[in-house]
Each structure stands twice: as structure tokens, then as C-alpha cells.
Amino acid sequence: MAISNRSVRRIAAVAIMMAVAAAPAMAQDLSPLNTFFTTLGTALTGATGRAIGLVALAAVGIMFLLGRMNWGFAGSVVLGLVILFGAATILAGI
């Protein structure tokens, strides 16, 4: 069965219409992912992050009070808070 000239034209017209009407794929649109990480960064460096840091430091203080604190754990909590709240400055310097 031979392909008629009319079928070729119809296929070409459909292909051209699809190419003109094409929108970017969802994989190319990173705005939801960008919004997620922006919201996460704002939450961790804002009031929520400060509250979590306060609870962590309070737990370290209570463990020191009870004599059960490991110096390595205390240092890791303090270093983690320094990195968390200094992340914007660290990234600005890179």
C-alpha cells in the first residue's frame, strides 16, 4: 500500500502544529523544586530553625547539668548550629 501525497501533507501539517504548540516539559520547569528549597531554607534559618536550635542547646545544657554529656556530641550540636545559621554567609563567600 503506497502512501499518498495527501497523507504526507496531513502528517507534515500535524507535525508542524505540534512543534508550534509545544510547551516545555515539566522536567524543564524547576520552579516547584526551587520554591520547595527556598521555603525549606527560610524555615530553617527563620523562627522555626531558631526554635529547633534553642531546644537542641537546652538539651545539651540539661545533659551537662545531669553529668551525662559527651563533649563530642556537644561540639557537633554547636558546630551544626553555626553551619546552619552561617550558611548564607558561607555561600555568599564562595
Side-chain angles (χ1 to χ4, degrees):
M1 183 171 173
I3 299 176
S4 69
N5 203 12
R6 185 175 176 180
S7 296
V8 172
R9 285 187 197 151
R10 187 176 293 168
I11 291 171
V14 169
I16 290 172
M17 287 184 344
M18 288 177 64
V20 170
M26 284 302 291
Q28 294 175 345
D29 184 20
L30 296 178
S31 61
L33 188 64
N34 200 8
T35 303
F36 169 73
F37 282 119
T38 302
T39 304
L40 183 64
T42 303
L44 287 177
T45 58
T48 305
R50 292 184 191 274
I52 293 170
L54 177 67
V55 169
L57 284 178
V60 168
I62 290 172
M63 291 177 77
F64 269 126
L65 178 70
L66 298 175
R68 304 245 180 224
M69 177 47 64
N70 178 3
W71 281 100
F73 181 72
S76 68
V77 168
V78 171
L79 182 64
L81 290 172
V82 167
I83 290 172
L84 176 65
F85 294 116
T89 307
I90 292 169
L91 288 176
I94 292 179

